[in-house]
Amino acid sequence: MALFRKARYSTLNPTDKREDQPSKKKEIPHGLWEKCPQCSETIYAKQKEENLNLCPRCSYHYPMTAWNRIKLLTDEGSFLEFDADMESVDKLQFEGVAPYLSKLEENKKKTGLKDAVVYGTASLDERKYVLAVMDFRFLGASMGCVVGEKVTRAAELALKEKLPFVIATASGGARMYEGMLSLMQMAKTSGALERLDEAGLPYIVIMTHPTTAGVTASFASLGDLILAEPGAMIAFAGPRVIKDTTQAKLPEGFQTAEFLLKKGLIDKIIGRKNLRNELSLCLEYVTSSCKVHSAERGKAQAK
Amino acid sequence: MAEFVLEFEKPIVELESKIRELQNLSDSSNMNVDEELSVLTKKVEETKKAIYDSLTAWQRVQLARHPSRPYSLDYINLIFKDFLEFHGDRRYAEDPAIVAGFAKLDNQPVMIIGTQKGRNTKENVFRNFGCPHPEGYRKALRLMKLADKSCVPVVCLIDTPGAFPGIASEERHIGEAIAVNLREMFSLSVPVLAVVIGEGGSGGALGIGIGNRILVMENAYYSVITPEGCAAILWKDRAYSAKAAESLKLTGKDLMELGIVDEIVKEPLGGAHKNYEEAAALLKKAIKKNIDSLKKMSGEELKDQRYKKYRSITYIKES
């Protein structure tokens, strides 16, 4: 039986060779070129940035910074930021691997932001509304007191000014460094949205990649309309947690915007190139027929 | 079945078994062991006090998860009468991880919503280890709205490791189910009392936890993430669970200091599992006191107070 006499494995020493010979792979200067995670095409970073952070070949939606998102969704020069100076504090004096405060400093430097949400009033095609945008680069846009407070104040601003409220979400979930204070922001933001709902003001959510955990289980899932960007991961529990807990094989495309459109959570998937126009159209539909605001209509009827 | 004993409970259990041995010996041989017995009994009390007065956060988490700890249905049976359980979310299914229905607290009707764990493997399969699917939250909300219509206070008993992380749960939008509960619980015009009786596991606990008051039992915990999960993420090592438990500030005392929890409900020495009747009596007293005082408020006042309670949980810096 020749089959069994043959050595089953031959030994190579690839590590030795690798050290001796210079790598044949071309070194790409960091940040200039990158490989698209969807189509594997090597793309010129600048070309991507000029294309709304979309892969020029396959339209893969790279995350967008808060300010670029604001630029995309507002009339030029119309955005007026509120509470720009609000910052997180280390109430729990969290003793993790790295102290919370140094993590915050690092992320402020990296992003130029004070925390993971920017909000204010703006107009889109001259229609005024309140816009809040989350930026995933800042500590995974995790929700601590500042994120919760800004989203709450944005909803309260919409209520006070009788404006529609739009939020572009992205979040890794709770900010663990703020412990239970973080969980309570889910309650707080949902409470503010209850008041907005009660007043009959429209609330539109744009879910971007990735929207997960505590944000999914609070303000992100409460939109009168829930829009999503193509390919966005949208989840409550992460896929690894689900696999570890249930040992189940996850279905193809599980927890993507496309999957959740089929399962009935999402109203519409909108590519970034159409997002401005379609949001504008949504705002037109939900506001333009209301000559008298619905809350006042309700009151008038009650009389 | 041998009793489940936690590591830090061992010195007490050892002393107690010595006392039993001595008693047996004296019974069978007529020896006078009164002196030894009194010394040992005193020592047990001292040891208990020393251990339970200085429990670490991690030890409390273990007590909260103790397999002999009373669960929602145990308290329901011991505290309330005429419990009338209702089932189903009218959308998809019945979820046995949440029990819900009317009951009477003495003569006061209430709506009870409680997450329910199982006592053994068979029960745990049925109750899904107390981890609700979306249907559980939707059933809970449906019945809370009935309570609102019926002008009956809502009492939520929370004891869950968390909402269930599974494929079905995600496909039927567990995040949305919890989110809607958070929003709608703010609209209830009746008193809502949330009591964490064991594990307060993150969003899964909060999903039935928007109360005018939040009570936490002495050896319960309420946390944004399990200490194990936090250790795995922040320290990349589950061995740091005890440290994570400390850092997360998840005990009743810590949460009172943060202004999240309103009251700690005392438990019998050694934990609720040592004496169900006493634990239930202490819990009943706390529920009754809070419902009585909340009942004095109008519907609008209740909604307003509930909103302000959560609205004020904000620690930030503004220049």
Side-chain angles (χ1 to χ4, degrees):
Chain A
M1 294 279 281
L3 196 65
F4 294 106
R5 259 179 272 132
K6 206 171 164 186
R8 293 184 72 151
Y9 303 102
S10 49
T11 314
L12 295 171
N13 284 319
T15 44
D16 301 344
K17 278 187 187 164
R18 220 177 274 159
E19 275 161 25
D20 295 343
Q21 295 170 357
S23 163
K24 277 186 190 155
K25 225 172 124 190
K26 274 181 202 154
E27 287 295 324
I28 300 171
H30 183 72
L32 204 53
W33 293 88
E34 52 190 284
K35 203 169 156 189
C36 171
Q38 188 168 279
C39 69
S40 300
E41 177 88 349
T42 306
I43 54 175
Y44 188 38
K46 206 166 168 211
Q47 199 185 354
K48 179 195 87 185
E49 279 155 27
E50 283 164 0
N51 191 34
L52 298 173
N53 251 17
L54 303 171
C55 168
R57 184 164 172 243
C58 73
S59 283
Y60 173 78
H61 284 55
Y62 283 87
M64 217 179 190
T65 66
W67 287 106
N68 281 339
R69 174 79 59 188
I70 289 166
K71 205 173 142 197
L72 175 69
L73 299 178
T74 60
D75 294 336
E76 204 185 333
S78 72
F79 185 76
L80 180 66
E81 191 185 359
F82 280 64
D83 297 313
D85 60 354
M86 194 191 293
E87 289 179 75
S88 294
V89 295
D90 185 14
K91 177 67 186 167
L92 265 52
Q93 300 185 312
F94 202 100
E95 294 165 19
V97 179
Y100 183 29
L101 286 178
S102 70
K103 277 270 171 202
L104 285 170
E105 282 314 310
E106 192 186 299
N107 279 273
K108 280 180 203 170
K109 220 181 254 172
K110 188 175 81 186
T111 61
L113 301 169
K114 294 266 170 79
D115 211 289
V117 174
V118 179
Y119 89 97
T121 54
S123 65
L124 177 56
D125 296 332
E126 297 180 354
R127 209 165 269 110
K128 206 174 168 197
Y129 74 113
V130 173
L131 174 65
V133 175
M134 304 182 82
D135 194 315
F136 193 73
R137 294 172 306 155
F138 196 102
L139 269 172
S142 50
M143 175 153 63
C145 284
V146 169
V147 170
E149 183 67 15
K150 280 195 169 183
V151 171
T152 302
R153 287 195 195 176
E156 288 172 341
L157 180 65
L159 186 64
K160 187 171 149 248
E161 304 285 334
K162 296 192 167 57
L163 291 172
F165 178 28
V166 178
I167 183 160
T169 62
S171 178
R175 190 166 294 176
M176 266 174 283
Y177 301 99
E178 296 192 26
M180 275 294 284
L181 296 173
S182 168
L183 192 77
M184 290 298 124
Q185 305 309 309
M186 292 169 65
K188 186 166 88 180
T189 53
S190 302
L193 288 168
E194 193 272 327
R195 296 195 155 191
L196 199 69
D197 192 44
E198 178 81 0
L201 287 157
Y203 169 49
I204 300 173
V205 174
I206 304 164
M207 289 186 170
T208 76
H209 179 75
T211 295
T212 66
V215 167
T216 298
S218 59
F219 60 85
S221 292
L222 293 174
D224 297 305
L225 289 174
I226 302 178
L227 313 175
E229 286 201 325
M233 184 211 179
I234 298 157
F236 173 67
R240 209 181 53 210
V241 175
I242 295 174
K243 255 193 233 162
D244 289 353
T245 313
T246 63
Q247 319 298 327
K249 192 176 176 292
L250 306 182
E252 185 76 21
F254 185 55
Q255 300 183 317
T256 58
E258 290 74 11
F259 180 85
L260 289 167
L261 180 82
K262 252 189 227 160
K263 296 288 174 189
L265 181 75
I266 285 164
D267 285 280
K268 196 168 173 27
I269 295 175
I270 304 174
R272 202 172 283 162
K273 284 198 168 156
N274 298 325
L275 190 58
R276 183 187 168 94
N277 287 341
E278 301 223 4
L279 179 64
S280 177
L281 196 56
C282 286
L283 286 172
E284 185 192 327
Y285 278 125
V286 299
T287 59
S288 64
S289 298
C290 293
K291 294 222 170 51
V292 184
H293 194 266
S294 60
E296 274 140 39
R297 245 184 3 252
K299 268 182 218 155
Q301 274 166 6
K303 276 174 197 165
Chain B
M1 202 179 84
E3 201 194 341
F4 180 87
V5 179
L6 292 168
E7 198 54 42
F8 63 86
E9 290 179 318
K10 278 182 183 159
I12 301 164
V13 172
E14 272 164 28
L15 282 169
E16 283 174 341
S17 81
K18 259 188 210 163
I19 291 176
R20 270 196 302 275
E21 264 172 46
L22 264 177
Q23 276 168 336
N24 288 343
L25 192 69
S26 83
D27 288 352
S28 59
S29 64
N30 276 335
M31 260 168 66
N32 189 346
V33 290
D34 288 355
E35 203 173 311
E36 287 89 336
L37 264 180
S38 84
V39 171
L40 272 177
T41 312
K42 205 172 155 221
K43 201 166 170 210
V44 168
E45 289 314 308
E46 282 168 5
T47 314
K48 269 190 189 171
K49 207 170 155 17
I51 290 175
Y52 291 105
D53 278 356
S54 59
L55 283 181
T56 64
W58 181 232
Q59 286 169 332
R60 279 203 207 279
V61 171
Q62 288 167 300
L63 275 178
R65 293 173 178 167
H66 199 290
S68 309
R69 198 172 167 81
Y71 296 150
S72 291
L73 282 172
D74 298 311
Y75 286 122
I76 291 171
N77 290 331
L78 288 164
I79 296 174
F80 303 90
K81 59 182 183 193
D82 295 344
F83 178 48
L84 198 56
E85 190 183 352
F86 302 122
H87 302 279
D89 73 337
R90 302 275 174 86
R91 295 286 180 273
Y92 185 81
E94 154 68 357
D95 184 354
I98 290 185
V99 293
F102 284 125
K104 286 179 195 152
L105 175 66
D106 294 333
N107 288 317
Q108 168 67 52
V110 294
M111 174 63 77
I112 300 177
I113 311 284
T115 45
Q116 179 64 35
K117 293 179 178 174
R119 194 64 70 192
N120 50 45
T121 309
K122 196 179 159 201
E123 271 182 36
N124 263 322
V125 169
F126 179 60
R127 301 284 181 191
N128 200 30
F129 297 84
C131 298
H133 278 78
E135 296 73 43
Y137 295 100
R138 290 178 182 139
K139 169 175 74 177
L141 182 60
R142 179 172 78 83
L143 293 169
M144 285 191 260
K145 293 208 159 180
L146 174 63
D148 203 18
K149 267 189 190 173
S150 319
C151 308
V152 161
V154 177
V155 177
C156 298
L157 303 177
I158 297 166
D159 184 16
T160 175
F164 189 62
I167 293 174
S169 210
E170 296 284 323
E171 281 182 341
R172 300 197 295 272
H173 319 308
I174 184 77
E176 190 260 2
I178 292 172
V180 168
N181 278 24
L182 302 186
R183 183 184 66 198
E184 295 304 309
M185 284 184 84
F186 279 102
S187 72
L188 301 172
S189 302
V190 290
V192 183
L193 191 62
V195 192
V196 185
I197 58 168
E199 290 191 87
S202 195
L206 190 66
I208 55 164
I210 308 296
N212 292 90
R213 304 248 168 92
I214 307 176
L215 276 49
V216 170
M217 291 193 68
E218 195 181 355
N219 296 309
Y221 80 94
Y222 198 179
S223 180
V224 69
I225 186 169
T226 60
E228 293 92 331
C230 180
I233 295 171
L234 289 188
W235 283 269
K236 317 273 177 223
D237 186 352
R238 281 176 174 245
Y240 286 88
S241 298
K243 194 158 168 41
E246 213 63 53
S247 298
L248 282 165
K249 305 270 188 287
L250 45 69
T251 65
K253 188 170 163 287
D254 287 330
L255 295 171
M256 286 268 288
E257 280 166 21
L258 287 171
I260 294 171
V261 161
D262 299 283
E263 192 177 318
I264 297 171
V265 183
K266 283 291 258 178
E267 289 183 24
L269 190 63
H273 62 286
K274 295 284 181 197
N275 189 336
Y276 277 30
E277 283 74 22
E278 196 188 334
L282 289 163
L283 180 57
K284 181 177 180 176
K285 208 173 138 201
I287 292 175
K288 209 167 150 35
K289 185 187 80 187
N290 281 285
I291 293 287
D292 284 347
S293 79
L294 288 172
K295 265 177 63 188
K296 293 184 187 127
M297 293 163 79
S298 72
E300 277 311 302
E301 282 169 343
L302 285 164
K303 276 169 71 172
D304 206 47
Q305 183 269 332
R306 202 180 301 131
Y307 184 70
K308 281 182 182 148
K309 173 175 168 55
Y310 292 88
R311 181 69 191 83
S312 68
I313 303 175
T314 304
Y315 293 90
I316 53 170
K317 187 165 79 187
E318 287 177 284
S319 47

